[in-house]
């Protein structure tokens, strides 16, 4: 199966969020072609969750999994740590009081 570039996926994700009037921002611009993507969901109450895409070797399926959740400061510290390991990493911040991130929607995994 052909893989989308990271830039293409990020652009498509941001466009999908705009359809639902969910604010999102590129916080860290990673490698355009092969950079991994983290999605931070901030619920604007001091809490946040961080998601990364996971690959199931047995089934070949991709899915978004929660890496960490808690205070926004804790999630930001986790992001900083991950960026220290991988400077090509993308970070998208989604801000939604209802906790919507749309990562479970078809076509985004």
């Amino acid at each position: 199966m052909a893989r989308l570039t990271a830039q293409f996926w990020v652009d498509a994700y941001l466009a999908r969020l705009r359809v639902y009037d969910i604010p999102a921002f590129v916080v860290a611009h990673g490698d355009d072609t092969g950079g991994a993507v983290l999605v931070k969901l901030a619920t604007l109450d001091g809490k946040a969750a961080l998601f990364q895409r996971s690959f199931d070797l047995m089934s070949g399926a991709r899915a978004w999994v929660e890496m960490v959740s808690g205070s926004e400061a804790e999630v930001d510290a986790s992001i900083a740590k991950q960026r220290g390991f991988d400077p090509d990493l993308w970070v998208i911040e989604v801000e939604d009081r209802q906790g919507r991130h749309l990562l479970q929607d078809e076509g985004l995994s």
Side-chain angles (χ1 to χ4, degrees), residues 5-8 29-35 88 90:
T5 65
Q7 175 75 53
F8 187 90
H29 187 290
D31 181 71
D32 287 343
T33 305
D88 292 332
W90 288 78

Side-chain angles (χ1 to χ4, degrees), residues 13-84:
Y13 181 54
L14 294 175
R16 174 104 40 114
L17 290 167
R18 277 192 301 272
V19 168
Y20 292 93
D21 292 323
I22 301 172
F25 313 92
V26 175
V27 176
H29 187 290
D31 181 71
D32 287 343
T33 305
V37 179
L38 296 180
V39 175
K40 173 186 169 187
L41 172 63
T43 52
L44 306 174
D45 61 356
K47 300 202 182 309
L50 184 63
F51 299 88
Q52 73 175 1
R53 191 164 34 187
S54 178
F55 184 73
D56 183 342
L57 293 174
M58 297 301 285
S59 69
R62 292 186 177 141
W64 287 91
V65 295
E66 187 176 298
M67 287 179 62
V68 64
S69 64
S71 74
E72 194 162 359
E74 291 171 334
V75 171
D76 287 341
S78 181
I79 292 169
K81 186 176 179 180
Q82 292 297 320
R83 294 250 328 131

Side-chain angles (χ1 to χ4, degrees), residues 13 16-18 20 22 99-106 108:
Y13 181 54
R16 174 104 40 114
L17 290 167
R18 277 192 301 272
Y20 292 93
I22 301 172
R100 299 174 298 166
H101 50 67
L102 308 182
L103 294 173
Q104 74 287 352
D105 286 6
E106 187 176 338
L108 291 176

